[in-house]
Amino acid sequence: MSGTFVGMPAFPTAARAALGDTQLRRNLAHATQTIRDKRALVVAEVEDWEDLRLAGAGVKEAALRDLATHLETLEASLTRAGATVHWARDAAEACAIVASITHAHGADEVAKVKSMATAEIGLNEALEAEGIAAWETDLAELIVQLGDDLPSHILVPAIHRNRAEIREIFQRRMGDVGKAAPADLSDEPAVLAGAAREHLREKFLRAKVAVSGANFAVADTGTLVVVESEGNGRMCLTLPEVLVSVVGIEKVVATWADLDPMLRLLPRSSTGERMNPYTSTWSGVSPGDGPQEVHVVLLDNGRTRALADDVGRQALRCIRCSACLNVCPVYERVGGHAYGSVYPGPIGAILNPLLNGVSDEQTASLPYASSLCGACFEVCPVRIDIPSVLVDQRAAVVDSHRNDRVPSAEALAMKATAWAFSDSRRLAWAERASGIAGRVITRFSRTTLPGGRAASGRLPGPAAGWTGARDLPAPPAESFREWWDRTDGGQR
């Protein structure tokens, strides 16, 4: 099984370690640049791209504004089509439902379509604890699983691996869980893909139960939609006897017509394709065709919490395209593992706090994992204003610590500043003190650098953590008030 994000350190600590991995940075730079270039080409072909973005955002926003009604319609439509609908408040309930269905059919394994929702709830680990093996069939997810690794990208979970590393993983691990890789396996992409096909084929043909997610769920027709590039999803959705789909409640759209802008936005924004090679849709059970027992688990797991946030609710428009990751300068340098979640990058930096709150140090660090450059908003196909949500979540982090028994150094500094600024005499005293400090800093910088050069504002001691990456201008020797008094308002 793959690893777990449980116990991951806060983002600054994890990012510092990732920055020291030169191979990781090379892999990320190459992969993200390639995806960016492909996306730019196919987006440029669409003359009304901005109108399409507005349409996509409108579809998702309209669904969210009347989410309860659309979910009830979806449940009724699915039930009429022969599916069984389950409601799961959290990860534990969803995992228990899937495990119960699997046990009921005497199966000890499931074949899985790539699904962010099942990764979010830790389904593989929960099934393993129940004695059920969950086999990932997406190529990148397979690489992650065989390598006992963690996903680092929404679309390409193994983006941090290069071809040589993948070849080594296949040769070392495939034989332990199924058909072994050929002894003469090379690192050519076509050869690696062929080895994966041979390894997975027996699992496709043997599996009685499959587990999927869904990119979209159409309320009025009870249709679930999965888009993919490899065909593994189509195999899982058609061959097994039983299909269980774990679907986040935010995936619903109202009508079949609403799929139109979404299926034009998603492939261009994700894989840089005009359309997905495989778009699978299904509505319940079709006698004699495909799975004869269909279950749909509608998952909350913090989504109603996010929906209640007036600023952050727009994050639920996300269609998991990963465009924001590919343009993010922070993600490109540290990768996905530093975010400590299956949702990395800019969208993960807002989605994780919205779903889980900011009570723990790791999650509370994520809204600060951004330069606020705005590139993520510019490429988001459903116009999520990620920078605005990041700022709002930073405020939530600050608010969560207002009643701490032991205030942080930052809180103490802000209180001291408020105390000084609230009285003109104290402010005048602080200005005089800053003038003295400015002369000391200037003298220190000139005497501690070779050749008498002035330092660019880097301070020693506790202040080094701030000034190591930022210039701190030395306070002026004379404050504005002092200058005003000395020059009689600039007249002398």
Side-chain angles (χ1 to χ4, degrees):
M1 288 297 177
S2 55
T4 175
F5 285 105
V6 175
M8 290 286 285
F11 181 83
T13 302
R16 190 173 298 112
L19 286 170
D21 188 336
T22 56
Q23 183 62 59
L24 171 68
R25 295 182 67 176
R26 281 196 295 270
N27 293 351
L28 288 169
H30 172 72
T32 54
Q33 182 65 57
T34 300
I35 299 172
R36 282 199 303 270
D37 291 345
K38 289 180 64 180
R39 175 196 172 276
L41 287 173
V42 295
V43 166
E45 297 173 351
V46 183
E47 292 183 5
D48 59 347
W49 179 252
E50 286 306 311
D51 291 337
L52 193 58
R53 289 179 72 203
L54 287 167
V59 165
K60 293 292 288 183
E61 191 62 30
L64 291 172
R65 288 188 181 278
D66 199 11
L67 184 59
T69 299
H70 294 314
L71 287 172
E72 290 174 354
T73 301
L74 175 65
E75 179 184 28
S77 299
L78 285 166
T79 302
R80 282 197 303 271
T84 302
V85 177
H86 310 260
W87 296 84
R89 285 172 292 188
D90 54 29
E93 285 190 5
C95 291
I97 291 167
V98 178
S100 174
I101 294 168
T102 307
H103 283 312
H105 289 82
D108 59 3
E109 63 179 358
V110 299
K112 287 188 68 217
V113 186
K114 182 180 184 302
S115 163
M116 298 303 299
T118 59
E120 172 192 329
I121 64 177
L123 179 63
N124 289 11
E125 294 75 23
L127 292 180
E128 184 180 27
E130 293 281 336
I132 301 167
W135 304 119
E136 296 290 354
T137 63
D138 174 83
L139 178 57
E141 291 283 8
L142 175 66
I143 294 165
V144 169
Q145 186 175 47
L146 291 177
D148 296 318
D149 203 351
L150 292 166
S152 63
H153 192 276
I154 289 175
L155 180 69
V156 194
I159 195 172
H160 56 288
R161 296 290 193 183
N162 60 31
R163 299 186 319 189
E165 292 172 313
I166 295 168
R167 172 183 175 275
E168 187 275 329
I169 290 170
F170 280 7
Q171 286 197 314
R172 175 169 51 88
R173 290 285 288 123
M174 271 187 172
D176 295 339
V177 294
K179 185 170 183 177
D184 60 347
L185 183 69
S186 74
D187 64 359
E188 288 299 313
V191 175
L192 293 172
R197 278 196 299 271
E198 291 295 323
H199 176 80
L200 291 171
R201 189 163 291 142
E202 63 179 15
K203 299 186 187 303
F204 287 134
L205 296 175
R206 188 177 65 217
K208 297 169 86 176
V209 179
V211 176
S212 81
N215 294 96
F216 306 103
V218 184
D220 67 348
T221 61
T223 304
L224 301 186
V225 183
V226 163
V227 297
E228 42 130 357
S229 299
E230 299 172 16
N232 64 296
R234 183 70 56 81
M235 300 283 274
C236 290
L237 297 172
T238 56
L239 290 178
E241 301 170 12
V242 181
L243 174 62
V244 185
S245 300
V246 181
V247 184
I249 56 175
E250 84 284 10
K251 297 296 185 182
V252 68
V253 297
T255 68
W256 181 264
D258 286 339
L259 286 177
D260 173 33
M262 312 315 297
L263 293 179
R264 287 191 284 157
L265 287 164
L266 181 54
R268 285 180 165 86
S269 297
S270 57
T271 54
E273 297 170 299
R274 296 178 183 88
M275 65 179 294
N276 295 96
Y278 295 88
T279 299
S280 300
T281 66
W282 68 101
S283 303
V285 175
S286 298
D289 182 16
Q292 295 303 290
E293 187 174 322
V294 173
H295 297 262
V296 179
V297 182
L298 295 175
L299 174 69
D300 184 338
N301 204 40
R303 285 157 176 79
T304 52
R305 175 196 183 111
L307 189 65
D309 188 305
D310 290 338
V311 177
R313 61 181 294 153
Q314 61 186 294
L316 296 179
R317 298 203 300 249
C318 177
I319 56 175
R320 309 294 192 266
C321 69
S322 75
C324 61
L325 281 69
N326 300 326
V327 299
C328 178
V330 177
Y331 176 87
E332 183 177 342
R333 286 158 180 78
V334 303
H337 293 163
Y339 293 83
S341 165
V342 296
Y343 300 118
I347 189 61
I350 62 173
L351 196 56
N352 290 307
L354 286 165
L355 294 178
N356 304 310
V358 292
S359 57
D360 70 275
E361 181 186 10
Q362 195 279 327
T363 307
S365 69
L366 295 178
Y368 299 91
S370 171
S371 66
L372 300 180
C373 68
C376 49
F377 172 67
E378 295 300 324
V379 299
C380 177
V382 288
R383 296 179 58 84
I384 301 170
D385 189 355
I386 293 177
S388 293
V389 183
L390 284 166
V391 172
D392 190 65
Q393 286 301 299
R394 291 180 185 186
V397 173
V398 173
D399 289 342
S400 71
H401 291 288
R402 291 198 185 279
N403 297 320
D404 286 355
R405 294 183 61 183
V406 180
S408 65
E410 180 185 28
L412 290 173
M414 291 299 157
K415 288 181 179 179
T417 301
W419 177 82
F421 279 29
S422 63
D423 183 90
S424 60
R425 289 171 298 179
R426 290 196 290 264
L427 179 59
W429 177 85
E431 289 173 343
R432 287 194 294 272
S434 70
I436 296 171
R439 289 190 287 270
V440 171
I441 291 171
T442 302
R443 185 175 303 157
F444 169 82
S445 65
R446 286 175 177 165
T447 56
T448 55
L449 291 181
R453 293 182 291 109
S456 58
R458 181 164 186 167
L459 299 180
W466 174 265
T467 59
R470 307 168 180 85
D471 286 345
L472 180 66
E478 183 180 46
S479 71
F480 175 79
R481 291 186 181 195
E482 291 171 332
W483 171 86
W484 185 269
D485 290 340
R486 179 174 58 80
T487 63
D488 192 19
Q491 301 301 314
R492 294 188 278 119

